[in-house]
Amino acid sequence: MRGAEKVIEVDASYTYPTGKRVGLFFEALEGEKVFVTGKTGCGKSTLMRVLNGLIPELYGGKLEGKVRVYGKKGNNRDVFLVTQYPEEQVICGSAVEEVAFPLIQRGWNYRDAVEVAEKTLEEFGILHLAGRDPHKLSDGEKQAVIVCSAVASGSACLAFDEPFAHLHPKLAEKIVKMILKSDRTVILSEHRTELSDGFRVFSMNSGHEADALDRIRSFDLKCGECRVDTSDSGKTLIAARDARVYREKRVVIDGLNLKVKEGESVAITGVNGAGKTTLLRALAGFEKSEGIEVRGKVGMAFQYPGYSLNSSTTREEVSKELLSEFCLEDLAERHPHSLSGGEKRILSALKALGAKIVLLDEPTAGLDRELRRAFISKLVSVVKAKKKAAVIATHDREVAEICGREVEIEHV
């Protein structure tokens, strides 16, 4: 990048509406590819929102210092931000229109924009989704469509905030290779450091202050072996025999055989769109199914933790016993939606853990490796000790290994 112009320069501080303050320092050159790492809660998402202009315009708080993005303040014309939550970004009636929409906003005519969109979808190997309603896609498929929208947008800088949290590793690797070919500036915030080849790695850990999540990280030192032996499990809580699962009258899973006993934690894996989330929703009674029997109260944590949290304080969401077990007592009086993204995700999972049958949909998305390993190790040990049963949908190989068993779901 020798001789390239510096197009992004941040030397600022941001005070959240809660009063927490974080220092932000970041630079990027024209066309540079930067891989941003750091512990969950260190400010990576905050940096991305500052570059895009969402902070302070939408999120409030107080931003002080220097922020220059292509000679202007943070803005969404120069910086296309792909967030962790694709559900919040899809707005059109078809995937091809979703990808074409940023170009239409820039004044392109519809036909030319759709032509570019179709080409982009084809390059990423998801042209088969072009006519589908993005709101009805799996979260991983939604995320892939939004990534295509970013690439097709023509924005000078593409900022990705944990864009692979809901993606199968093979699709994530393919997308990384595609964005590395771009001549635009790319900023990728991601915990999967194995994807950092070809990027300049920038760590944000230096300014990280100890928080509640650090106490959870310490569990990893106490839990012994990650993989929990569940051979002494008790009675069967979930039984599926040649089961069939539907989503809007369409068969998504057919011929499923699954038995989950007390004390067991089972990982559900598979490519994006295979039906992992739909299976969890069927176990919870939200989707139609045949051949499935569930014996016990069900608690479910969704991919979007905010959907599960609806009380005024954390202690109203999760029992005092569980908050204490996971060393989160100091969050008891906080409003759930004032918590950090990582804290909300863990709180949502703990709320589900209050039930006999625990259903977790991508519970470690957006969590750093140390945190997700410690948290899932602890959760699996609690499930065994309290004779509960957990079914965990995940793309994370390490999470699958920590669970007692793995069941892979395939496309019908």
Side-chain angles (χ1 to χ4, degrees):
M1 302 303 299
R2 185 177 298 174
E5 179 187 0
K6 186 186 296 182
V7 292
I8 294 176
E9 191 173 5
V10 178
D11 187 359
S13 67
Y14 176 63
T15 304
Y16 297 86
T18 60
K20 178 183 175 181
R21 185 174 180 273
V22 62
L24 301 171
F25 177 80
F26 181 78
E27 295 178 343
L29 303 177
E30 179 73 54
E32 191 174 17
K33 311 296 186 286
V34 187
F35 192 99
V36 180
T37 67
K39 289 183 178 181
T40 301
C42 72
K44 299 185 301 298
S45 295
T46 299
L47 172 63
M48 297 295 186
R49 292 166 183 165
V50 167
L51 297 179
N52 179 256
L54 289 174
I55 289 177
E57 300 300 330
L58 180 63
Y59 284 87
K62 188 175 183 180
L63 180 64
E64 299 175 289
K66 182 178 182 179
V67 177
R68 300 302 290 168
V69 178
Y70 290 85
K72 303 182 284 291
K73 65 179 183 178
N75 67 91
N76 61 11
R77 184 171 182 83
D78 290 313
V79 181
F80 191 114
L81 175 61
V82 177
T83 73
Q84 298 178 36
Y85 306 114
E87 180 71 30
E88 297 175 351
Q89 292 194 268
V90 294
I91 57 174
C92 297
S94 70
V96 70
E97 290 178 332
E98 192 70 51
V99 178
F101 186 64
L103 291 175
I104 294 172
Q105 284 184 305
R106 290 173 181 266
W108 286 49
N109 68 60
Y110 179 83
R111 181 171 296 183
D112 289 344
V114 167
E115 185 177 333
V116 171
E118 289 176 340
K119 182 179 179 181
T120 306
L121 289 168
E122 185 175 18
E123 288 175 347
F124 279 81
I126 56 172
L127 184 59
H128 61 284
L129 300 178
R132 296 274 302 277
D133 182 345
H135 299 90
K136 296 180 180 179
L137 299 177
S138 74
D139 279 301
E141 290 170 330
K142 287 189 188 102
Q143 192 73 295
V145 168
I146 295 299
V147 169
C148 287
S149 185
V151 171
S153 69
S155 296
C157 176
L158 307 181
F160 299 96
D161 186 13
E162 297 290 344
F164 309 133
H166 306 289
L167 294 185
H168 188 276
K170 289 184 178 179
L171 181 55
E173 290 173 7
K174 182 174 183 177
I175 288 175
V176 166
K177 290 178 181 178
M178 295 293 294
I179 62 178
L180 281 173
K181 293 178 182 178
S182 169
D183 59 358
R184 284 174 283 176
T185 306
V186 175
I187 304 169
L188 173 59
S189 169
E190 176 60 53
H191 289 301
R192 300 188 203 179
T193 54
E194 64 271 19
L195 299 173
S196 64
D197 286 352
F199 291 83
R200 171 172 69 87
V201 177
F202 176 80
S203 174
M204 291 186 64
N205 273 336
S206 58
H208 177 75
E209 297 179 3
D211 57 17
L213 300 183
D214 282 315
R215 294 195 293 275
I216 292 178
R217 290 183 182 96
S218 70
F219 291 153
D220 199 32
L221 304 175
K222 306 172 186 176
C223 289
E225 293 296 323
C226 285
R227 193 175 181 89
V228 176
D229 178 16
T230 57
S231 58
D232 60 346
S233 299
K235 65 181 182 179
T236 299
L237 297 182
I238 298 174
R241 185 172 182 179
D242 293 326
R244 178 173 287 181
V245 178
Y246 299 83
R247 186 72 187 267
E248 297 184 348
K249 299 182 180 180
R250 181 172 65 93
V251 176
V252 176
I253 299 173
D254 199 8
L256 174 69
N257 290 287
L258 173 68
K259 185 179 291 186
V260 186
K261 296 182 178 181
E262 286 181 331
E264 283 193 295
S265 293
V266 178
I268 304 297
T269 62
V271 300
N272 294 115
K276 300 183 296 298
T277 296
T278 303
L279 173 59
L280 294 190
R281 289 175 59 84
L283 294 175
F286 298 141
E287 302 291 350
K288 179 183 176 182
S289 65
E290 299 168 357
I292 293 180
E293 186 176 358
V294 178
R295 303 162 184 159
K297 181 181 177 182
V298 173
M300 181 169 177
F302 301 96
Q303 290 191 29
Y304 298 88
Y307 291 1
S308 306
L309 307 174
N310 46 38
S311 299
S312 299
T313 61
T314 295
R315 62 178 171 78
E316 294 175 87
E317 298 283 5
V318 177
S319 70
K320 182 178 180 181
E321 178 187 2
L322 277 178
L323 287 176
S324 177
E325 184 131 31
F326 284 80
C327 297
L328 297 176
E329 306 100 309
D330 60 336
L331 302 181
E333 300 302 323
R334 292 275 301 277
H335 193 292
H337 292 283
S338 74
L339 302 177
S340 71
E343 290 168 341
K344 279 190 281 192
R345 189 167 294 284
I346 287 174
L347 183 66
S348 176
L350 294 186
K351 183 176 182 177
L353 188 57
K356 182 72 170 177
I357 298 170
V358 185
L359 309 177
L360 307 179
D361 197 0
E362 298 288 354
T364 60
L367 304 185
D368 62 72
R369 185 181 182 221
E370 185 183 9
L371 178 58
R372 65 180 183 259
R373 185 174 185 270
F375 174 60
I376 292 298
S377 295
K378 177 71 172 179
L379 185 143
V380 166
S381 69
V382 170
V383 167
K384 182 182 181 184
K386 297 183 180 296
K387 295 188 180 298
K388 298 174 182 285
V391 181
I392 303 174
T394 184
H395 286 297
D396 190 315
R397 289 305 316 155
E398 192 164 21
V399 170
E401 290 168 4
I402 291 171
C403 293
R405 288 165 48 208
E406 178 182 348
V407 175
E408 184 174 0
I409 303 295
E410 298 182 354
H411 274 298
V412 174

